[in-house]
Amino acid sequence: MATKRSAAVINGPSRAVETGVNSITGEYSQTDTLSAGDIIEMVRIPDGGTVLDIIATMPNVDGDSPVVPTVLAIGDGISRGRYASGSANGQIVRAGSPAGRAGGVPYTVDLSDNDPIGYDTIDFQVVNGAKSGTSNGVLKLTALYTMDK
């Protein structure tokens, strides 16, 4: 099990504009085999942000016709399947869609007052990994959120 990060998580904080809807997109280029339990942190959501929607593109990351396709959940550090509990690769998933999980949005990030980081991440978690072949592809995730109170 490994934790991997997209450039959106590595390179800087999410915008915390006080009015309106913000969007942030993270991309992760997968070049090695995904294993069950791997976490891929895709985007940062600031403390107090309310996630309104998630749109995720999960290409075929399994390579050469694996026996069991890779299944990914979409969630955060508290609930790994908050937005989608398990979707096979090759799909586009939105929170609340049939492949997503109803009730995942809206969700407000509420960290403790003494949390030094000030954000949570929205992540892919590998439910089961590729059984054969070489994994490759670009995972993409866009989150729509607001800081309005």
Side-chain angles (χ1 to χ4, degrees):
M1 181 171 93
T3 298
K4 304 165 190 221
R5 292 178 173 89
S6 73
V9 170
I10 294 168
N11 293 331
S14 303
R15 296 182 328 183
V17 176
E18 294 298 323
T19 59
V21 175
N22 299 291
S23 70
I24 185 168
T25 299
E27 294 185 3
Y28 181 79
S29 296
Q30 183 62 33
T31 58
D32 57 353
T33 300
L34 294 169
S35 299
D38 284 355
I39 303 295
I40 305 168
E41 296 178 342
M42 296 299 291
V43 297
R44 294 179 179 186
I45 303 297
D47 187 21
T50 299
V51 179
L52 303 173
D53 202 359
I54 300 292
I55 303 109
T57 304
M58 302 183 300
N60 183 354
V61 294
D62 288 327
D64 305 325
S65 301
V67 176
V68 177
T70 300
V71 176
L72 301 168
I74 303 170
D76 53 40
I78 297 169
S79 173
R80 293 290 179 202
R82 183 179 310 282
Y83 306 108
S85 56
S87 300
N89 63 33
Q91 295 182 340
I92 295 174
V93 176
R94 293 190 71 172
S97 69
R101 179 177 171 174
V105 290
Y107 174 75
T108 301
V109 174
D110 186 14
L111 304 174
S112 67
D113 290 339
N114 59 0
D115 188 303
I117 297 175
Y119 66 87
D120 197 1
T121 57
I122 297 178
D123 319 318
F124 285 111
Q125 179 180 24
V126 181
V127 176
N128 66 284
K131 303 298 181 193
S132 67
T134 302
S135 297
N136 56 48
V138 178
L139 298 169
K140 297 179 183 179
L141 185 140
T142 297
L144 303 176
Y145 68 98
T146 184
M147 296 300 294
D148 294 345
K149 300 291 179 198

